[in-house]
Amino acid sequence: MPDTPSILEQEHEDFRATMRAFLAKEVVPFHDQWEKDGQVSREVWTRAGTQGLLCFDVDEEYGGSGIKDFRYNMVVSEELSRVGASGLGFPVHTDIIVPYISQLGTPEQKQRWLPGLVSGELISAIAMTEPGAGSDLQGIRTTAVDKGEHYVLNGSKTFISNGIMSDLVIVVARTNPDAGHQGISLLVVERGMAGFERGRNHEKMGLKAQDTSELFFDNVVVPKENLLGEEGSGFLSLMVNLPQERISIAAIAVAACEHVLEMCLTYAKEREAFGRPIGKFQHNRFTLAEMATEVHIARVFVNDCVTRLNEGKVDTALASMAKWWTTELQKKIVDQGVQLHGGYGYMLEYPIAKAYVDSRIQTIYGGTTEIQKEIIGRSLGI
């Protein structure tokens, strides 16, 4: 296969070696049990924090490395995909949630929360989706009523990644029911607050070790000190941060595609039918040629997006392009991989089967493919 020009430097490869060693020791031997348990251990979070594998972009004064370079985040995604460690919510925590606190938090909030988020002692979640509101954030019904010194939060959320294990939850709530998108705010709810309850850990098709749950808020008293950003600015803050979330998902998708292609090439060379390796059959060879081409295109695309993200040049439309195209490709590639493996591809003991069920959510969370195309279409003036 042609080599894709790398955007990584030696320090990123050194970091990869650290990440790979961590996964081999602290994750791979335990992941099957975590899939049965429906969540990972808390210890793996604190051990990752000790190794400096979480929230590298957090400033040094709050315990981070202060490295604002998304190439490190990309390496994490690549290594998680390589070993099929789909239960670890590290990318959700590092790439998506903690940046809200880094960018919007007051100095007091940062001092209160960021050190624990970096160390893995605090696990984060963001609660946007509701039973009646998914990709349409303006349909949110969870309310936070201003009572002077605090808000009273009521509502429910569903499909929340890190929902069971989270210690801090950024809740998207409506603080002004009459102000449309300008009435949405972000509140940080902490573990142990009265009225904050967790529902069931969802039994999902894939990502079985990734805790995903319902959250309920029944007259939860949230201090004004836990308002993240200005009241009414929540929708705008989400729009500003969603491009990085979508590039993160795209990075996961292209890493998964590369890993599946590698599995398929190995299998096509080793598995024999009618006296020869199945890769020698023209149909399979052509399928693999198409897969290799599309995966190469995806890698070049995502590398460009990550470079632009580091330069502050990723807009909403480009992030949406990356998100929908790479995740739809992931679905296609992994489906072709299962077909190539034949009956073995349907057996969960084969990594290709796990890759298949883990991939299906990619075109849904972070905004569905249809939503991404709507965003792109609007950016084109149509």
Side-chain angles (χ1 to χ4, degrees), residues 135-194:
S135 297
D136 179 15
L137 294 177
Q138 295 194 59
I140 285 171
R141 295 185 178 179
T142 296
T143 61
V145 179
D146 190 338
K147 295 293 185 179
E149 294 299 315
H150 61 266
Y151 295 96
V152 175
L153 181 67
N154 282 283
S156 63
K157 301 289 184 176
T158 193
F159 309 144
I160 307 305
S161 300
N162 293 347
I164 295 293
M165 300 186 70
S166 56
D167 304 289
L168 296 179
V169 182
I170 299 175
V171 179
V172 182
R174 194 169 289 284
T175 46
N176 186 339
D178 303 317
H181 72 272
Q182 294 180 333
I184 293 175
S185 302
L186 305 180
L187 300 176
V188 178
V189 175
E190 301 178 66
R191 178 182 291 277
M193 285 185 169

Side-chain angles (χ1 to χ4, degrees), residues 22-39:
F22 172 82
L23 292 173
K25 180 181 179 182
E26 304 288 357
V27 175
V28 173
F30 311 107
H31 203 275
D32 285 348
Q33 184 59 49
W34 293 339
E35 296 230 325
K36 295 182 179 73
D37 296 340
Q39 65 183 67

Side-chain angles (χ1 to χ4, degrees), residues 95-352:
D95 302 0
I96 299 171
I97 303 164
V98 174
Y100 282 97
I101 295 174
S102 295
Q103 295 165 19
L104 301 174
T106 64
E108 185 275 331
Q109 288 173 332
K110 293 179 182 180
Q111 192 60 59
R112 183 153 47 115
W113 294 322
L114 286 177
L117 293 166
V118 172
S119 71
E121 295 171 275
L122 296 178
I123 299 172
S124 66
I126 187 164
M128 287 189 271
T129 303
E130 298 182 359
S135 297
D136 179 15
L137 294 177
Q138 295 194 59
I140 285 171
R141 295 185 178 179
T142 296
T143 61
V145 179
D146 190 338
K147 295 293 185 179
E149 294 299 315
H150 61 266
Y151 295 96
V152 175
L153 181 67
N154 282 283
S156 63
K157 301 289 184 176
T158 193
F159 309 144
I160 307 305
S161 300
N162 293 347
I164 295 293
M165 300 186 70
S166 56
D167 304 289
L168 296 179
V169 182
I170 299 175
V171 179
V172 182
R174 194 169 289 284
T175 46
N176 186 339
D178 303 317
H181 72 272
Q182 294 180 333
I184 293 175
S185 302
L186 305 180
L187 300 176
V188 178
V189 175
E190 301 178 66
R191 178 182 291 277
M193 285 185 169
F196 171 33
E197 301 290 341
R198 301 164 207 266
R200 62 195 174 97
N201 192 358
H202 292 295
E203 187 174 352
K204 306 181 297 299
M205 178 193 302
L207 305 183
K208 290 186 176 293
Q210 164 66 263
D211 60 306
T212 309
S213 72
E214 303 167 315
L215 303 179
F216 301 102
F217 309 96
D218 182 12
N219 291 320
V220 180
V221 174
V222 182
K224 284 287 181 71
E225 292 77 14
N226 283 30
L227 174 67
L228 195 58
E230 298 294 324
E231 183 177 300
S233 67
F235 187 81
L236 179 60
S237 297
L238 292 168
M239 293 304 101
V240 169
N241 281 273
L242 279 173
Q244 177 162 305
E245 174 179 349
R246 288 164 179 162
I247 297 299
S248 173
I249 294 171
I252 293 168
V254 72
C257 288
E258 290 172 336
H259 181 53
V260 168
L261 176 60
E262 183 181 328
M263 282 194 286
C264 290
L265 289 171
T266 299
Y267 188 78
K269 293 172 184 177
E270 296 175 350
R271 173 68 170 169
E272 292 193 354
F274 304 102
R276 54 179 172 158
I278 63 170
K280 295 294 185 181
F281 292 95
Q282 187 184 65
H283 172 78
N284 292 335
R285 193 162 62 245
F286 281 12
T287 297
L288 288 164
E290 292 172 6
M291 292 167 69
T293 303
E294 290 174 318
V295 171
H296 181 81
I297 292 168
R299 170 51 69 189
V300 173
F301 185 15
V302 168
N303 281 357
D304 180 61
C305 288
V306 169
T307 300
R308 290 171 183 248
L309 183 66
N310 277 348
E311 295 171 350
K313 296 179 181 178
V314 169
D315 61 18
T316 302
L318 180 64
S320 290
M321 290 176 184
K323 198 276 178 182
W324 87 258
W325 194 83
T326 58
T327 57
E328 291 289 347
L329 178 65
Q330 182 183 353
K331 276 171 46 183
K332 175 184 174 182
I333 293 291
V334 76
D335 184 71
Q336 291 173 321
V338 169
Q339 189 71 22
L340 184 74
H341 280 73
Y344 291 107
Y346 202 65
M347 301 296 112
L348 281 173
E349 63 193 86
Y350 274 68
I352 189 67

